[in-house]
Amino acid sequence: MTPTPMTTTPDARLAIRATTPETGAPGATTTADPRDPAGAAAPGAVDPGTVGRTAAHRIPAARTGADPAVRIPVQGGPAGASADPIGTADAAPADGDTSGAPAPHDPCTHGFLPERPPVRSMIGTWTRLDAMAREAAVAPDRATALDVVKRADHAEELTALRQRVSRLSPRNAEAAAMRVAVIAVSCGWSALDPQAPAAREVANEAFLELWAAIAHRIDHDQFVALPTLALHNWAPERKPRRHIPIDQLARTEQLVPIVRWAPEGQPLSRLDRLMLAATRLEAHGIWLFRLADTLAGRAPDDSSTQTALRRLVRIQHALRAQLHSEAAELASAPATDQQRAVLGALAEQGALEPPVLQAADAVLGIGGRRLGEGRRQHLRRHLPAQHRAWLSAMDRHCAPVRTLAHRGGPDAAVYREAQESLIALRRTYTALVQTAAAPTPGPLPEAA
């Protein structure tokens, strides 16, 4: 199905500017901080790049009463300041790196995207996991995907990988987790707990051990979901000419999947395009994270609250326009029954909710009561612990703003408009998922 066009469809790529003040790119605009009521007098200012970007990107504990242990600290440098923007320098498993989980990061810097572009290719023994994921992704049915895992088990490749998990750097552990997630959903195991005894009656035991070891390595048990399958499975088609922040890279560059759900040499499938659309949605939604941090701890009658909410509405409209721009290409892309089964399995367990929509819900408080999907924690269980902690903090700190739902006056009207724009955004995303899962005349052609 094709979503109904918007009556007002601002160009998302113009409404959400690709530049941020720290890049120094020409054309970067300055937007008034919503803490300054005068910011409301800036007509047509749709670049929220500086919204809520205080010196520390955080709400002072003295003002909000926030527990400093819950807040996400800021990194020492810009997200895009790494020496290798496409990640080739860290592509190999760092056998000498036995550090623990990655340091927490501030979502106001780059949302829930990884701090650096995902690892495009793994080397050494881990090339076998990469090859298995690619085979499983293009398998015509689950039986073929299961056979890929079975052959790897007989060759003792899964055991060899399991023994090397502790040597993975955090970034390469995330890369391995993405490939394990592709294999798990292709085999129909997405809803399994790899450490549950009952899982051994359904899935390959050696693969479950590898799965559980990687889950322990990244401290995230339920990573087989959209955030892992989308946010860690993309790369810029060409190497950027300069080092830019990760969210700007994902917004401005042509993206390609690392593990394709379509055979090499064939057009991208609907599932490929849906996952890339989710990545771009997250990159465009970075301003929403910054506004959420701005609204945290605000009194409902604060003069800047209405300004921030109006900007939140504009961002959500722009994100909706972004999804509409993805719909036509996605609808014309090929798909298979196997890929529709993957989407159905993820949707059934509530694992297709984009993190940026969960961030908006943490501010506006309207999630978890739609389509019988359960409470917010049910939807958030697929996110890393640090992201869940940030969302829980937003739940608490934005509670005063949510009291506008029970009031009258212009501030309450703006709040309700923000809620309605989020509902419309979620419906547009749901329509995109339904388009991806819709039947097509024929299957993808076989790889040459």
Side-chain angles (χ1 to χ4, degrees):
M1 60 179 285
T2 302
T4 304
M6 293 176 56
T7 55
T8 302
T9 55
D11 189 334
R13 289 180 172 81
L14 294 178
I16 300 181
R17 298 298 299 272
T19 56
T20 55
E22 57 264 43
T23 64
T29 59
T30 302
T31 305
D33 192 320
R35 289 184 172 85
D36 179 8
V46 293
D47 175 13
T50 57
V51 172
R53 295 180 66 82
T54 61
H57 294 291
R58 62 193 297 175
I59 303 300
R63 177 169 61 82
T64 64
D67 182 357
V70 178
R71 301 294 293 153
I72 309 284
V74 182
Q75 292 298 297
S82 60
D84 181 14
I86 63 172
T88 54
D90 196 29
D95 288 351
D97 184 353
T98 57
S99 60
H105 63 271
D106 184 3
C108 293
T109 304
H110 45 68
F112 287 170
L113 289 167
E115 295 184 36
R116 295 174 59 192
V119 174
R120 187 190 292 262
S121 58
M122 306 185 78
I123 66 172
T125 306
W126 292 96
T127 58
R128 282 302 305 141
L129 181 65
D130 193 70
M132 287 169 54
R134 294 173 191 275
E135 286 185 67
V138 299
D141 50 45
R142 286 182 177 176
T144 306
L146 290 168
D147 189 57
V148 171
V149 176
K150 185 178 180 180
R151 291 198 312 268
D153 185 16
H154 287 168
E156 298 187 348
E157 293 172 342
L158 297 175
T159 301
L161 292 172
R162 165 66 184 85
Q163 294 170 349
R164 289 168 171 78
V165 169
S166 61
R167 302 178 184 179
L168 286 172
S169 68
R171 184 162 174 258
N172 280 279
E174 291 177 340
M178 182 273 288
R179 289 153 175 87
V180 166
V182 170
I183 297 169
V185 295
S186 299
C187 293
W189 298 334
S190 55
L192 294 181
D193 178 353
Q195 301 188 61
R200 301 182 185 276
E201 301 175 5
V202 179
N204 181 280
E205 186 170 346
F207 180 77
L208 289 175
E209 290 176 356
L210 173 63
W211 182 350
I214 289 179
H216 178 73
R217 184 72 180 90
I218 64 175
D219 192 25
H220 186 197
D221 292 331
Q222 302 191 48
F223 63 80
V224 182
L226 178 78
T228 299
L229 289 165
L231 304 189
H232 295 278
N233 189 23
W234 62 273
E237 189 173 38
R238 61 181 179 85
K239 184 175 181 178
R241 290 173 294 179
R242 59 194 176 102
H243 308 307
I244 57 178
I246 183 70
D247 59 294
Q248 185 176 333
L249 178 70
R251 285 197 304 272
T252 59
E253 295 293 327
Q254 182 71 29
L255 305 183
V256 294
I258 295 173
V259 176
R260 289 168 51 108
W261 294 91
E264 289 292 338
Q266 303 296 337
L268 293 181
S269 69
R270 287 183 182 178
L271 192 52
D272 285 316
R273 293 190 179 278
L274 177 65
M275 296 297 176
L276 291 177
T279 299
R280 285 187 287 265
L281 181 70
E282 199 72 17
H284 281 282
I286 179 62
W287 315 122
L288 193 149
F289 284 91
R290 294 167 184 167
L291 275 174
D293 202 55
T294 297
L295 285 165
R298 290 287 176 181
D301 54 354
D302 190 307
S303 59
S304 63
T305 297
Q306 184 177 136
T307 302
L309 285 172
R310 288 191 184 282
R311 290 175 179 169
L312 190 67
V313 170
R314 289 202 296 270
I315 291 169
Q316 289 175 161
H317 279 312
L319 293 179
R320 189 178 177 209
Q322 171 68 25
L323 291 180
H324 274 300
S325 71
E326 309 275 0
E329 285 188 349
L330 188 144
S332 62
T336 65
D337 291 339
Q338 166 72 347
Q339 292 170 5
R340 285 191 288 274
V342 167
L343 271 177
L346 291 173
E348 186 175 339
Q349 59 173 317
L352 280 176
E353 177 83 341
V356 67
L357 299 189
Q358 298 189 46
D361 169 66
V363 176
L364 301 174
I366 61 174
R369 296 191 297 272
R370 58 188 183 82
L371 303 177
E373 289 185 353
R375 299 180 299 110
R376 291 187 188 91
Q377 297 308 319
H378 177 77
L379 298 174
R380 294 175 183 174
R381 71 191 190 281
H382 302 293
L383 297 174
Q386 59 188 9
H387 297 168
R388 296 197 304 270
W390 187 86
L391 291 172
S392 296
M394 288 297 105
D395 283 337
R396 296 192 303 273
H397 301 157
C398 292
V401 174
R402 292 197 295 272
T403 63
L404 287 170
H406 311 291
R407 300 188 182 190
D411 289 347
V414 173
Y415 177 80
R416 283 190 285 272
E417 183 183 2
Q419 284 188 318
E420 291 168 1
S421 69
L422 176 56
I423 291 172
L425 175 59
R426 272 181 155 154
R427 286 175 176 168
T428 304
Y429 173 75
T430 299
L432 199 69
V433 173
Q434 291 171 346
T435 300
T440 54
L444 286 170
E446 294 294 332

